[in-house]
Amino acid sequence: MFEMLRRWLGHAPALSPETKDPSRQLDGDEPLKPVRDGITAEQFQHSFICREAALGRDERISGYLFTMRQQLSSRMMENSMLIQRVHDEAMLNNIAKLDMPALLGSRHAFVHLSQSSLDSPLLEAISRVNVVIMINAGKLIAGQPQLHAKLLRLREMGIRYGWKIGASHPDIGEFVGEADFVEIEPAGFDVNQLKMVCRQFRALSKDLKLVASGLQSSDEFRLCFHAGFDYFMGPFVSNRENWQPPKSEINRLRVIEVLNMIRRGAEFDAVAEALRTESVLTFKLLRYINSPGLGLLAKISEIPQALMILGRDRFYRWLSLLIFDFDRSGYREHVLNEQVLARARFLEILAGRGHVPFEPDNLFMTGLFSMLNVMMGQPMEDILKQLSLPDMVAATLKGGQGPMRDVMLLAIAVESGTLNEIATAAKRCDLDASVVSKTMIEALAWAQQVSFAGE
């Protein structure tokens, strides 16, 4: 049964080189210069956490892979058990500090670990609810008693785990049968080969979940989807090349018109009248406003009531979300919606910390509107001509330098940047790794709540 697996896995390509972040190209921001050229093992202890979204078969975000992307070669990591251990201990320490079930709900939090770290005492502190340890297979030897003992300990602790396979592993079947996940990079496989791989892995365990990683394009995603994989990761998630802005049931021009009315100080009655005939818009707006993310004590049932209770600025914020309403959503739309919500919330939470200005509402709007050019398929300059925004928000979106721009660059780097890019941006904002990482997870949790409410 495993002969074909042995042969195919033996021809799996090496990890592809890191490509330029597509979301940064869309945002129009060039990569930040690194703080330093190299990262030593000791510096792992003060590292920033990076995230990569994992999609489920429903084309929604089902979890995140959390990593600390270091400027170290894979060969150095493989050949130095000390560096592996230090890296893994720092990663586990960061994850243990976060209440993943409360922040991510049922979404998975995937964490890569080396085999040498499977006896770490820090594993006792991580969540059993949604954290999944993905073990780098590396060099597997059949019948290793120590490895089997470590895996048994994970199971006894209630920790789910899987294997990350990127090379030939003739003895992987011995270990996969007891695992929960298997992650492979399908590059170089045709659809028939991938289907065979899925069938043979599932023959080892009917509950095994298969993760396709390193996917570069929507075509590769579709290939793996039809092959039967359960989760999908890679640059394709945020790559919107040749993407056409989706339609919406909502009249976006009317949303922009009302936003401008609010900014000009229009009376509440006039604002409510402008929305009176927009039944779909009103319905979706009230659904957003009553979401758990707002935390209201009583339900709001009509627009005049919302204006009175929320006030001008908060009503403006929630109405703004409807610009990102989509009629028929695929994975690109789901990811864009949560990405922009998380970015806005990330900036708002950081208001007043370090060198970040204490402008929570303006920071939220900056994050929210920072991807309007992507969503509407128009240059940002043209969009800003249609919107009446606070001067500091408009200036930041136009590329003006200053603290507002610095923290927006940090938000962009956190989404899919390298460690050095995040560290550079955080240094400009005078923020440390723990604050940035905690804020990132809190923003993701909030975005998930609001996104679900909007749907």
Side-chain angles (χ1 to χ4, degrees), residues 246-256 275 278-288 318-327 375 454:
K247 296 180 179 180
S248 172
E249 298 175 293
I250 287 174
N251 184 345
R252 289 196 177 102
L253 293 178
R254 176 55 59 89
V255 174
I256 291 175
L275 295 173
E278 299 289 342
S279 58
V280 175
L281 190 157
T282 298
F283 171 76
K284 293 194 173 186
L285 175 59
L286 292 175
R287 191 164 56 182
Y288 269 128
W318 291 96
L319 180 61
S320 301
L321 298 184
L322 293 180
I323 296 179
F324 290 87
D325 177 82
F326 305 117
D327 189 2
M375 195 282 301

PDB file of all heavy atoms in Angstrom, residues 246-256 275 278-288 318-327 375 454:
ATOM      1  N   PRO A 246     -16.137  41.840  -6.296  1.00  0.00           N
ATOM      2  CA  PRO A 246     -17.449  41.195  -6.330  1.00  0.00           C
ATOM      3  C   PRO A 246     -18.592  42.187  -6.202  1.00  0.00           C
ATOM      4  O   PRO A 246     -18.434  43.284  -5.687  1.00  0.00           O
ATOM      5  CB  PRO A 246     -17.396  40.260  -5.120  1.00  0.00           C
ATOM      6  CG  PRO A 246     -16.470  40.958  -4.178  1.00  0.00           C
ATOM      7  CD  PRO A 246     -15.437  41.637  -5.034  1.00  0.00           C
ATOM      8  N   LYS A 247     -19.754  41.758  -6.658  1.00  0.00           N
ATOM      9  CA  LYS A 247     -20.950  42.572  -6.538  1.00  0.00           C
ATOM     10  C   LYS A 247     -21.552  42.413  -5.150  1.00  0.00           C
ATOM     11  O   LYS A 247     -21.201  41.523  -4.386  1.00  0.00           O
ATOM     12  CB  LYS A 247     -21.962  42.162  -7.608  1.00  0.00           C
ATOM     13  CG  LYS A 247     -21.498  42.422  -9.036  1.00  0.00           C
ATOM     14  CD  LYS A 247     -22.548  41.998 -10.030  1.00  0.00           C
ATOM     15  CE  LYS A 247     -22.077  42.275 -11.460  1.00  0.00           C
ATOM     16  NZ  LYS A 247     -23.097  41.856 -12.455  1.00  0.00           N
ATOM     17  N   SER A 248     -22.499  43.309  -4.852  1.00  0.00           N
ATOM     18  CA  SER A 248     -23.180  43.265  -3.565  1.00  0.00           C
ATOM     19  C   SER A 248     -24.644  43.606  -3.751  1.00  0.00           C
ATOM     20  O   SER A 248     -25.017  44.323  -4.687  1.00  0.00           O
ATOM     21  CB  SER A 248     -22.528  44.253  -2.588  1.00  0.00           C
ATOM     22  OG  SER A 248     -23.275  44.355  -1.399  1.00  0.00           O
ATOM     23  N   GLU A 249     -25.462  43.069  -2.850  1.00  0.00           N
ATOM     24  CA  GLU A 249     -26.872  43.448  -2.835  1.00  0.00           C
ATOM     25  C   GLU A 249     -27.045  44.885  -2.358  1.00  0.00           C
ATOM     26  O   GLU A 249     -28.086  45.493  -2.556  1.00  0.00           O
ATOM     27  CB  GLU A 249     -27.654  42.523  -1.897  1.00  0.00           C
ATOM     28  CG  GLU A 249     -27.652  41.063  -2.302  1.00  0.00           C
ATOM     29  CD  GLU A 249     -28.341  40.215  -1.262  1.00  0.00           C
ATOM     30  OE1 GLU A 249     -27.818  40.093  -0.147  1.00  0.00           O
ATOM     31  OE2 GLU A 249     -29.415  39.687  -1.576  1.00  0.00           O
ATOM     32  N   ILE A 250     -26.016  45.403  -1.735  1.00  0.00           N
ATOM     33  CA  ILE A 250     -26.073  46.735  -1.137  1.00  0.00           C
ATOM     34  C   ILE A 250     -25.598  47.779  -2.141  1.00  0.00           C
ATOM     35  O   ILE A 250     -24.633  47.561  -2.889  1.00  0.00           O
ATOM     36  CB  ILE A 250     -25.211  46.780   0.138  1.00  0.00           C
ATOM     37  CG1 ILE A 250     -25.909  46.002   1.247  1.00  0.00           C
ATOM     38  CG2 ILE A 250     -24.940  48.197   0.588  1.00  0.00           C
ATOM     39  CD1 ILE A 250     -25.099  45.868   2.499  1.00  0.00           C
ATOM     40  N   ASN A 251     -26.255  48.916  -2.151  1.00  0.00           N
ATOM     41  CA  ASN A 251     -25.866  50.051  -2.981  1.00  0.00           C
ATOM     42  C   ASN A 251     -24.689  50.760  -2.300  1.00  0.00           C
ATOM     43  O   ASN A 251     -24.874  51.560  -1.380  1.00  0.00           O
ATOM     44  CB  ASN A 251     -27.051  50.998  -3.150  1.00  0.00           C
ATOM     45  CG  ASN A 251     -26.734  52.159  -4.079  1.00  0.00           C
ATOM     46  OD1 ASN A 251     -25.576  52.431  -4.391  1.00  0.00           O
ATOM     47  ND2 ASN A 251     -27.779  52.849  -4.520  1.00  0.00           N
ATOM     48  N   ARG A 252     -23.468  50.449  -2.757  1.00  0.00           N
ATOM     49  CA  ARG A 252     -22.283  51.010  -2.100  1.00  0.00           C
ATOM     50  C   ARG A 252     -22.212  52.525  -2.265  1.00  0.00           C
ATOM     51  O   ARG A 252     -21.690  53.230  -1.393  1.00  0.00           O
ATOM     52  CB  ARG A 252     -21.012  50.352  -2.653  1.00  0.00           C
ATOM     53  CG  ARG A 252     -20.843  48.893  -2.219  1.00  0.00           C
ATOM     54  CD  ARG A 252     -19.422  48.416  -2.439  1.00  0.00           C
ATOM     55  NE  ARG A 252     -19.243  47.059  -1.967  1.00  0.00           N
ATOM     56  CZ  ARG A 252     -19.207  45.991  -2.752  1.00  0.00           C
ATOM     57  NH1 ARG A 252     -19.348  46.141  -4.054  1.00  0.00           N
ATOM     58  NH2 ARG A 252     -19.040  44.788  -2.250  1.00  0.00           N
ATOM     59  N   LEU A 253     -22.710  53.038  -3.369  1.00  0.00           N
ATOM     60  CA  LEU A 253     -22.713  54.489  -3.555  1.00  0.00           C
ATOM     61  C   LEU A 253     -23.595  55.164  -2.510  1.00  0.00           C
ATOM     62  O   LEU A 253     -23.273  56.251  -2.025  1.00  0.00           O
ATOM     63  CB  LEU A 253     -23.187  54.839  -4.966  1.00  0.00           C
ATOM     64  CG  LEU A 253     -22.251  54.415  -6.107  1.00  0.00           C
ATOM     65  CD1 LEU A 253     -22.865  54.793  -7.458  1.00  0.00           C
ATOM     66  CD2 LEU A 253     -20.879  55.068  -5.952  1.00  0.00           C
ATOM     67  N   ARG A 254     -24.730  54.512  -2.162  1.00  0.00           N
ATOM     68  CA  ARG A 254     -25.583  55.082  -1.121  1.00  0.00           C
ATOM     69  C   ARG A 254     -24.878  55.037   0.238  1.00  0.00           C
ATOM     70  O   ARG A 254     -24.996  55.974   1.041  1.00  0.00           O
ATOM     71  CB  ARG A 254     -26.909  54.315  -1.052  1.00  0.00           C
ATOM     72  CG  ARG A 254     -27.863  54.761   0.070  1.00  0.00           C
ATOM     73  CD  ARG A 254     -28.164  56.260  -0.004  1.00  0.00           C
ATOM     74  NE  ARG A 254     -28.771  56.624  -1.256  1.00  0.00           N
ATOM     75  CZ  ARG A 254     -30.079  56.617  -1.486  1.00  0.00           C
ATOM     76  NH1 ARG A 254     -30.908  56.253  -0.521  1.00  0.00           N
ATOM     77  NH2 ARG A 254     -30.561  56.986  -2.655  1.00  0.00           N
ATOM     78  N   VAL A 255     -24.136  53.951   0.502  1.00  0.00           N
ATOM     79  CA  VAL A 255     -23.367  53.880   1.747  1.00  0.00           C
ATOM     80  C   VAL A 255     -22.383  55.033   1.822  1.00  0.00           C
ATOM     81  O   VAL A 255     -22.285  55.725   2.850  1.00  0.00           O
ATOM     82  CB  VAL A 255     -22.622  52.533   1.854  1.00  0.00           C
ATOM     83  CG1 VAL A 255     -21.707  52.530   3.087  1.00  0.00           C
ATOM     84  CG2 VAL A 255     -23.596  51.375   1.943  1.00  0.00           C
ATOM     85  N   ILE A 256     -21.649  55.264   0.746  1.00  0.00           N
ATOM     86  CA  ILE A 256     -20.672  56.359   0.726  1.00  0.00           C
ATOM     87  C   ILE A 256     -21.365  57.704   0.892  1.00  0.00           C
ATOM     88  O   ILE A 256     -20.884  58.598   1.600  1.00  0.00           O
ATOM     89  CB  ILE A 256     -19.850  56.313  -0.585  1.00  0.00           C
ATOM     90  CG1 ILE A 256     -18.941  55.074  -0.582  1.00  0.00           C
ATOM     91  CG2 ILE A 256     -19.025  57.577  -0.751  1.00  0.00           C
ATOM     92  CD1 ILE A 256     -18.185  54.863  -1.876  1.00  0.00           C
ATOM     93  N   LEU A 275     -31.624  56.382   4.541  1.00  0.00           N
ATOM     94  CA  LEU A 275     -31.544  54.923   4.583  1.00  0.00           C
ATOM     95  C   LEU A 275     -32.921  54.255   4.577  1.00  0.00           C
ATOM     96  O   LEU A 275     -33.012  53.030   4.521  1.00  0.00           O
ATOM     97  CB  LEU A 275     -30.777  54.475   5.841  1.00  0.00           C
ATOM     98  CG  LEU A 275     -29.296  54.862   5.915  1.00  0.00           C
ATOM     99  CD1 LEU A 275     -28.728  54.512   7.284  1.00  0.00           C
ATOM    100  CD2 LEU A 275     -28.499  54.181   4.822  1.00  0.00           C
ATOM    101  N   GLU A 278     -33.681  51.795   1.800  1.00  0.00           N
ATOM    102  CA  GLU A 278     -32.644  50.775   1.582  1.00  0.00           C
ATOM    103  C   GLU A 278     -32.878  49.630   2.565  1.00  0.00           C
ATOM    104  O   GLU A 278     -32.210  49.509   3.594  1.00  0.00           O
ATOM    105  CB  GLU A 278     -31.246  51.383   1.758  1.00  0.00           C
ATOM    106  CG  GLU A 278     -30.919  52.506   0.797  1.00  0.00           C
ATOM    107  CD  GLU A 278     -30.702  52.008  -0.624  1.00  0.00           C
ATOM    108  OE1 GLU A 278     -30.477  50.791  -0.809  1.00  0.00           O
ATOM    109  OE2 GLU A 278     -30.765  52.829  -1.557  1.00  0.00           O
ATOM    110  N   SER A 279     -33.828  48.764   2.247  1.00  0.00           N
ATOM    111  CA  SER A 279     -34.221  47.723   3.200  1.00  0.00           C
ATOM    112  C   SER A 279     -33.108  46.699   3.441  1.00  0.00           C
ATOM    113  O   SER A 279     -32.857  46.304   4.584  1.00  0.00           O
ATOM    114  CB  SER A 279     -35.491  47.013   2.707  1.00  0.00           C
ATOM    115  OG  SER A 279     -35.281  46.449   1.422  1.00  0.00           O
ATOM    116  N   VAL A 280     -32.444  46.264   2.368  1.00  0.00           N
ATOM    117  CA  VAL A 280     -31.372  45.276   2.527  1.00  0.00           C
ATOM    118  C   VAL A 280     -30.213  45.874   3.306  1.00  0.00           C
ATOM    119  O   VAL A 280     -29.651  45.256   4.218  1.00  0.00           O
ATOM    120  CB  VAL A 280     -30.887  44.760   1.152  1.00  0.00           C
ATOM    121  CG1 VAL A 280     -29.689  43.827   1.319  1.00  0.00           C
ATOM    122  CG2 VAL A 280     -32.015  44.041   0.428  1.00  0.00           C
ATOM    123  N   LEU A 281     -29.879  47.114   2.963  1.00  0.00           N
ATOM    124  CA  LEU A 281     -28.787  47.802   3.653  1.00  0.00           C
ATOM    125  C   LEU A 281     -29.117  47.937   5.137  1.00  0.00           C
ATOM    126  O   LEU A 281     -28.269  47.673   6.003  1.00  0.00           O
ATOM    127  CB  LEU A 281     -28.581  49.176   3.010  1.00  0.00           C
ATOM    128  CG  LEU A 281     -27.347  50.000   3.412  1.00  0.00           C
ATOM    129  CD1 LEU A 281     -27.018  50.998   2.309  1.00  0.00           C
ATOM    130  CD2 LEU A 281     -27.545  50.745   4.713  1.00  0.00           C
ATOM    131  N   THR A 282     -30.344  48.353   5.440  1.00  0.00           N
ATOM    132  CA  THR A 282     -30.753  48.530   6.835  1.00  0.00           C
ATOM    133  C   THR A 282     -30.714  47.215   7.599  1.00  0.00           C
ATOM    134  O   THR A 282     -30.223  47.148   8.732  1.00  0.00           O
ATOM    135  CB  THR A 282     -32.173  49.121   6.894  1.00  0.00           C
ATOM    136  OG1 THR A 282     -32.177  50.407   6.262  1.00  0.00           O
ATOM    137  CG2 THR A 282     -32.639  49.264   8.338  1.00  0.00           C
ATOM    138  N   PHE A 283     -31.219  46.157   6.980  1.00  0.00           N
ATOM    139  CA  PHE A 283     -31.218  44.844   7.619  1.00  0.00           C
ATOM    140  C   PHE A 283     -29.798  44.400   7.973  1.00  0.00           C
ATOM    141  O   PHE A 283     -29.522  43.957   9.096  1.00  0.00           O
ATOM    142  CB  PHE A 283     -31.883  43.821   6.696  1.00  0.00           C
ATOM    143  CG  PHE A 283     -31.743  42.395   7.163  1.00  0.00           C
ATOM    144  CD1 PHE A 283     -32.515  41.914   8.209  1.00  0.00           C
ATOM    145  CD2 PHE A 283     -30.843  41.538   6.568  1.00  0.00           C
ATOM    146  CE1 PHE A 283     -32.386  40.603   8.648  1.00  0.00           C
ATOM    147  CE2 PHE A 283     -30.700  40.230   7.000  1.00  0.00           C
ATOM    148  CZ  PHE A 283     -31.482  39.762   8.044  1.00  0.00           C
ATOM    149  N   LYS A 284     -28.886  44.516   7.016  1.00  0.00           N
ATOM    150  CA  LYS A 284     -27.512  44.058   7.260  1.00  0.00           C
ATOM    151  C   LYS A 284     -26.790  44.962   8.251  1.00  0.00           C
ATOM    152  O   LYS A 284     -25.976  44.491   9.056  1.00  0.00           O
ATOM    153  CB  LYS A 284     -26.756  43.987   5.936  1.00  0.00           C
ATOM    154  CG  LYS A 284     -27.293  42.911   5.006  1.00  0.00           C
ATOM    155  CD  LYS A 284     -26.347  42.605   3.864  1.00  0.00           C
ATOM    156  CE  LYS A 284     -26.855  41.406   3.049  1.00  0.00           C
ATOM    157  NZ  LYS A 284     -25.907  40.981   2.011  1.00  0.00           N
ATOM    158  N   LEU A 285     -27.089  46.250   8.215  1.00  0.00           N
ATOM    159  CA  LEU A 285     -26.469  47.170   9.171  1.00  0.00           C
ATOM    160  C   LEU A 285     -26.888  46.830  10.593  1.00  0.00           C
ATOM    161  O   LEU A 285     -26.053  46.772  11.507  1.00  0.00           O
ATOM    162  CB  LEU A 285     -26.854  48.609   8.828  1.00  0.00           C
ATOM    163  CG  LEU A 285     -26.378  49.693   9.805  1.00  0.00           C
ATOM    164  CD1 LEU A 285     -24.853  49.681   9.920  1.00  0.00           C
ATOM    165  CD2 LEU A 285     -26.872  51.068   9.375  1.00  0.00           C
ATOM    166  N   LEU A 286     -28.171  46.592  10.804  1.00  0.00           N
ATOM    167  CA  LEU A 286     -28.648  46.241  12.146  1.00  0.00           C
ATOM    168  C   LEU A 286     -28.082  44.900  12.603  1.00  0.00           C
ATOM    169  O   LEU A 286     -27.832  44.689  13.795  1.00  0.00           O
ATOM    170  CB  LEU A 286     -30.174  46.210  12.164  1.00  0.00           C
ATOM    171  CG  LEU A 286     -30.867  47.566  11.989  1.00  0.00           C
ATOM    172  CD1 LEU A 286     -32.371  47.394  11.904  1.00  0.00           C
ATOM    173  CD2 LEU A 286     -30.488  48.514  13.125  1.00  0.00           C
ATOM    174  N   ARG A 287     -27.853  43.994  11.671  1.00  0.00           N
ATOM    175  CA  ARG A 287     -27.257  42.711  12.033  1.00  0.00           C
ATOM    176  C   ARG A 287     -25.824  42.907  12.517  1.00  0.00           C
ATOM    177  O   ARG A 287     -25.384  42.276  13.479  1.00  0.00           O
ATOM    178  CB  ARG A 287     -27.308  41.761  10.837  1.00  0.00           C
ATOM    179  CG  ARG A 287     -26.960  40.330  11.185  1.00  0.00           C
ATOM    180  CD  ARG A 287     -27.391  39.379  10.089  1.00  0.00           C
ATOM    181  NE  ARG A 287     -26.823  39.716   8.790  1.00  0.00           N
ATOM    182  CZ  ARG A 287     -27.091  39.046   7.670  1.00  0.00           C
ATOM    183  NH1 ARG A 287     -27.920  38.023   7.697  1.00  0.00           N
ATOM    184  NH2 ARG A 287     -26.541  39.399   6.530  1.00  0.00           N
ATOM    185  N   TYR A 288     -25.078  43.772  11.846  1.00  0.00           N
ATOM    186  CA  TYR A 288     -23.723  44.097  12.307  1.00  0.00           C
ATOM    187  C   TYR A 288     -23.763  44.745  13.689  1.00  0.00           C
ATOM    188  O   TYR A 288     -23.009  44.390  14.595  1.00  0.00           O
ATOM    189  CB  TYR A 288     -23.047  45.061  11.322  1.00  0.00           C
ATOM    190  CG  TYR A 288     -22.261  44.396  10.230  1.00  0.00           C
ATOM    191  CD1 TYR A 288     -22.481  44.728   8.892  1.00  0.00           C
ATOM    192  CD2 TYR A 288     -21.266  43.470  10.518  1.00  0.00           C
ATOM    193  CE1 TYR A 288     -21.741  44.137   7.870  1.00  0.00           C
ATOM    194  CE2 TYR A 288     -20.525  42.877   9.513  1.00  0.00           C
ATOM    195  CZ  TYR A 288     -20.769  43.212   8.193  1.00  0.00           C
ATOM    196  OH  TYR A 288     -20.043  42.622   7.192  1.00  0.00           O
ATOM    197  N   TRP A 318     -19.829  51.388  11.922  1.00  0.00           N
ATOM    198  CA  TRP A 318     -20.542  50.172  11.555  1.00  0.00           C
ATOM    199  C   TRP A 318     -21.157  50.264  10.164  1.00  0.00           C
ATOM    200  O   TRP A 318     -21.256  49.266   9.459  1.00  0.00           O
ATOM    201  CB  TRP A 318     -21.594  49.849  12.620  1.00  0.00           C
ATOM    202  CG  TRP A 318     -20.919  49.429  13.884  1.00  0.00           C
ATOM    203  CD1 TRP A 318     -20.622  50.201  14.960  1.00  0.00           C
ATOM    204  CD2 TRP A 318     -20.385  48.130  14.169  1.00  0.00           C
ATOM    205  NE1 TRP A 318     -19.948  49.464  15.907  1.00  0.00           N
ATOM    206  CE2 TRP A 318     -19.793  48.199  15.450  1.00  0.00           C
ATOM    207  CE3 TRP A 318     -20.359  46.925  13.474  1.00  0.00           C
ATOM    208  CZ2 TRP A 318     -19.174  47.101  16.047  1.00  0.00           C
ATOM    209  CZ3 TRP A 318     -19.754  45.830  14.080  1.00  0.00           C
ATOM    210  CH2 TRP A 318     -19.168  45.929  15.343  1.00  0.00           C
ATOM    211  N   LEU A 319     -21.574  51.453   9.771  1.00  0.00           N
ATOM    212  CA  LEU A 319     -22.062  51.624   8.405  1.00  0.00           C
ATOM    213  C   LEU A 319     -20.936  51.384   7.401  1.00  0.00           C
ATOM    214  O   LEU A 319     -21.161  50.832   6.319  1.00  0.00           O
ATOM    215  CB  LEU A 319     -22.649  53.027   8.237  1.00  0.00           C
ATOM    216  CG  LEU A 319     -23.223  53.380   6.861  1.00  0.00           C
ATOM    217  CD1 LEU A 319     -24.373  52.442   6.504  1.00  0.00           C
ATOM    218  CD2 LEU A 319     -23.683  54.837   6.827  1.00  0.00           C
ATOM    219  N   SER A 320     -19.720  51.759   7.771  1.00  0.00           N
ATOM    220  CA  SER A 320     -18.567  51.579   6.875  1.00  0.00           C
ATOM    221  C   SER A 320     -18.353  50.115   6.514  1.00  0.00           C
ATOM    222  O   SER A 320     -17.880  49.792   5.422  1.00  0.00           O
ATOM    223  CB  SER A 320     -17.292  52.128   7.532  1.00  0.00           C
ATOM    224  OG  SER A 320     -17.420  53.496   7.833  1.00  0.00           O
ATOM    225  N   LEU A 321     -18.688  49.211   7.428  1.00  0.00           N
ATOM    226  CA  LEU A 321     -18.467  47.789   7.178  1.00  0.00           C
ATOM    227  C   LEU A 321     -19.250  47.288   5.972  1.00  0.00           C
ATOM    228  O   LEU A 321     -18.862  46.310   5.331  1.00  0.00           O
ATOM    229  CB  LEU A 321     -18.857  46.962   8.406  1.00  0.00           C
ATOM    230  CG  LEU A 321     -18.081  47.211   9.702  1.00  0.00           C
ATOM    231  CD1 LEU A 321     -18.550  46.241  10.767  1.00  0.00           C
ATOM    232  CD2 LEU A 321     -16.590  47.070   9.482  1.00  0.00           C
ATOM    233  N   LEU A 322     -20.350  47.954   5.645  1.00  0.00           N
ATOM    234  CA  LEU A 322     -21.195  47.479   4.555  1.00  0.00           C
ATOM    235  C   LEU A 322     -20.559  47.689   3.190  1.00  0.00           C
ATOM    236  O   LEU A 322     -21.005  47.111   2.203  1.00  0.00           O
ATOM    237  CB  LEU A 322     -22.556  48.179   4.610  1.00  0.00           C
ATOM    238  CG  LEU A 322     -23.410  47.802   5.828  1.00  0.00           C
ATOM    239  CD1 LEU A 322     -24.726  48.535   5.799  1.00  0.00           C
ATOM    240  CD2 LEU A 322     -23.652  46.302   5.866  1.00  0.00           C
ATOM    241  N   ILE A 323     -19.519  48.499   3.126  1.00  0.00           N
ATOM    242  CA  ILE A 323     -18.795  48.622   1.858  1.00  0.00           C
ATOM    243  C   ILE A 323     -18.175  47.284   1.491  1.00  0.00           C
ATOM    244  O   ILE A 323     -17.979  46.963   0.314  1.00  0.00           O
ATOM    245  CB  ILE A 323     -17.719  49.721   1.958  1.00  0.00           C
ATOM    246  CG1 ILE A 323     -18.386  51.083   2.193  1.00  0.00           C
ATOM    247  CG2 ILE A 323     -16.847  49.762   0.710  1.00  0.00           C
ATOM    248  CD1 ILE A 323     -17.401  52.228   2.336  1.00  0.00           C
ATOM    249  N   PHE A 324     -17.892  46.472   2.506  1.00  0.00           N
ATOM    250  CA  PHE A 324     -17.254  45.179   2.277  1.00  0.00           C
ATOM    251  C   PHE A 324     -18.263  44.034   2.277  1.00  0.00           C
ATOM    252  O   PHE A 324     -17.899  42.891   2.477  1.00  0.00           O
ATOM    253  CB  PHE A 324     -16.177  44.932   3.341  1.00  0.00           C
ATOM    254  CG  PHE A 324     -14.987  45.821   3.185  1.00  0.00           C
ATOM    255  CD1 PHE A 324     -14.969  47.078   3.759  1.00  0.00           C
ATOM    256  CD2 PHE A 324     -13.900  45.429   2.425  1.00  0.00           C
ATOM    257  CE1 PHE A 324     -13.879  47.917   3.599  1.00  0.00           C
ATOM    258  CE2 PHE A 324     -12.816  46.264   2.258  1.00  0.00           C
ATOM    259  CZ  PHE A 324     -12.801  47.516   2.838  1.00  0.00           C
ATOM    260  N   ASP A 325     -19.518  44.355   2.044  1.00  0.00           N
ATOM    261  CA  ASP A 325     -20.527  43.313   1.916  1.00  0.00           C
ATOM    262  C   ASP A 325     -20.465  42.712   0.513  1.00  0.00           C
ATOM    263  O   ASP A 325     -20.358  43.430  -0.481  1.00  0.00           O
ATOM    264  CB  ASP A 325     -21.919  43.899   2.162  1.00  0.00           C
ATOM    265  CG  ASP A 325     -23.010  42.866   1.966  1.00  0.00           C
ATOM    266  OD1 ASP A 325     -23.257  42.092   2.909  1.00  0.00           O
ATOM    267  OD2 ASP A 325     -23.598  42.822   0.867  1.00  0.00           O
ATOM    268  N   PHE A 326     -20.518  41.380   0.437  1.00  0.00           N
ATOM    269  CA  PHE A 326     -20.426  40.697  -0.848  1.00  0.00           C
ATOM    270  C   PHE A 326     -21.683  39.874  -1.084  1.00  0.00           C
ATOM    271  O   PHE A 326     -22.240  39.284  -0.159  1.00  0.00           O
ATOM    272  CB  PHE A 326     -19.198  39.787  -0.897  1.00  0.00           C
ATOM    273  CG  PHE A 326     -17.914  40.498  -0.580  1.00  0.00           C
ATOM    274  CD1 PHE A 326     -17.168  40.144   0.527  1.00  0.00           C
ATOM    275  CD2 PHE A 326     -17.473  41.525  -1.387  1.00  0.00           C
ATOM    276  CE1 PHE A 326     -15.987  40.796   0.824  1.00  0.00           C
ATOM    277  CE2 PHE A 326     -16.286  42.189  -1.105  1.00  0.00           C
ATOM    278  CZ  PHE A 326     -15.546  41.822   0.008  1.00  0.00           C
ATOM    279  N   ASP A 327     -22.093  39.811  -2.345  1.00  0.00           N
ATOM    280  CA  ASP A 327     -23.284  39.065  -2.710  1.00  0.00           C
ATOM    281  C   ASP A 327     -23.039  37.563  -2.591  1.00  0.00           C
ATOM    282  O   ASP A 327     -23.645  36.865  -1.798  1.00  0.00           O
ATOM    283  CB  ASP A 327     -23.712  39.445  -4.130  1.00  0.00           C
ATOM    284  CG  ASP A 327     -25.062  38.861  -4.496  1.00  0.00           C
ATOM    285  OD1 ASP A 327     -25.670  38.212  -3.642  1.00  0.00           O
ATOM    286  OD2 ASP A 327     -25.500  39.067  -5.634  1.00  0.00           O
ATOM    287  N   MET A 375     -10.905  46.142  -2.765  1.00  0.00           N
ATOM    288  CA  MET A 375     -12.294  45.713  -2.817  1.00  0.00           C
ATOM    289  C   MET A 375     -13.048  46.323  -4.000  1.00  0.00           C
ATOM    290  O   MET A 375     -13.834  45.646  -4.667  1.00  0.00           O
ATOM    291  CB  MET A 375     -12.981  46.080  -1.499  1.00  0.00           C
ATOM    292  CG  MET A 375     -14.312  45.383  -1.262  1.00  0.00           C
ATOM    293  SD  MET A 375     -15.656  46.110  -2.190  1.00  0.00           S
ATOM    294  CE  MET A 375     -15.619  47.792  -1.586  1.00  0.00           C
ATOM    295  N   GLY A 454     -22.209  39.335  10.293  1.00  0.00           N
ATOM    296  CA  GLY A 454     -22.577  39.957   9.032  1.00  0.00           C
ATOM    297  C   GLY A 454     -23.151  38.981   8.032  1.00  0.00           C
ATOM    298  O   GLY A 454     -23.891  39.370   7.113  1.00  0.00           O
TER     299      GLY A 454
END
